[in-house]
Amino acid sequence: MRAFASFHLVFIIGCLIFVLGTLVYGVVMAEHNLLGNKGEMLASRYLMNEGFAVLHYNWRSGHKEIDLVARERDTLVFVEVKSRRNEFYGNAADAVTPQKIDFLISAADAYVKRYGIDLKVRFDIVTVIGVCEPYRIEHVRDAFRPEW
């Protein structure tokens, strides 16, 4: 029940951001941003259903962002979410470039220091493919490892 309520809270926040962006700034988010937000909501629901506790959404350190920060038992998991309409241009997980990996590692380091975390750390990628149900969600555990 708690995971269900958390998903709906994230969905409502996403809708409010969209409405405020439209009303206050007079602009509608680019379609790819909407797809990305939807993908992050679906990824968080997927992870919660798999037993993860989602701790933060879109956590920032300067200009660097971690899509989802979650905990799975005794492991802190930093999750990069990649959403695509289809895989016409290749596997969505391949879009996580070496530069993006460096940014994620740097942001994760800031997160661990900020909150004084003393857990194992892992980096996962969740891909969400499609624009309507049924979405295809793939979870790549331990997608890359930092050289800490």
Side-chain angles (χ1 to χ4, degrees):
M1 187 66 168
R2 184 174 174 198
F4 182 74
S6 295
F7 171 73
H8 283 290
L9 180 61
V10 171
F11 180 76
I12 290 168
I13 290 170
C15 290
L16 286 173
I17 290 170
F18 176 75
V19 169
L20 287 174
T22 302
L23 294 175
V24 175
Y25 300 106
V27 292
V28 177
M29 283 185 192
E31 184 178 340
H32 71 276
N33 288 342
L34 293 174
L35 182 65
N37 290 345
K38 175 90 173 190
E40 288 172 3
M41 286 187 286
L42 291 167
S44 67
R45 182 174 65 179
Y46 168 84
L47 291 172
M48 287 187 280
N49 288 338
E50 293 294 311
F52 288 68
V54 177
L55 306 174
H56 286 103
Y57 301 87
N58 300 315
W59 191 85
R60 289 187 177 275
S61 173
H63 296 291
K64 300 166 186 162
E65 179 181 271
I66 300 170
D67 293 331
L68 300 171
V69 180
R71 184 171 177 170
E72 184 184 35
R73 292 182 292 283
D74 63 343
T75 303
L76 187 66
V77 184
F78 297 100
V79 182
E80 175 67 9
V81 179
K82 288 297 180 189
S83 303
R84 296 288 184 267
R85 294 170 109 9
N86 55 52
E87 290 191 302
F88 183 74
Y89 294 105
N91 185 322
D94 292 341
V96 182
T97 64
Q99 180 182 18
K100 180 64 174 181
I101 289 170
D102 288 344
F103 283 173
L104 289 168
I105 291 170
S106 175
D109 185 51
Y111 184 95
V112 167
K113 288 177 181 170
R114 165 113 193 254
Y115 295 104
I117 303 291
D118 187 24
L119 295 170
K120 292 185 281 185
V121 171
R122 189 176 79 216
F123 292 86
D124 291 4
I125 298 172
V126 173
T127 61
V128 180
I129 309 300
V131 292
C132 59
E133 292 189 19
Y135 299 95
R136 192 170 85 241
I137 298 176
E138 295 180 7
H139 182 191
V140 180
R141 293 172 177 266
D142 211 10
F144 55 88
R145 293 179 185 223
E147 296 178 17
W148 287 344

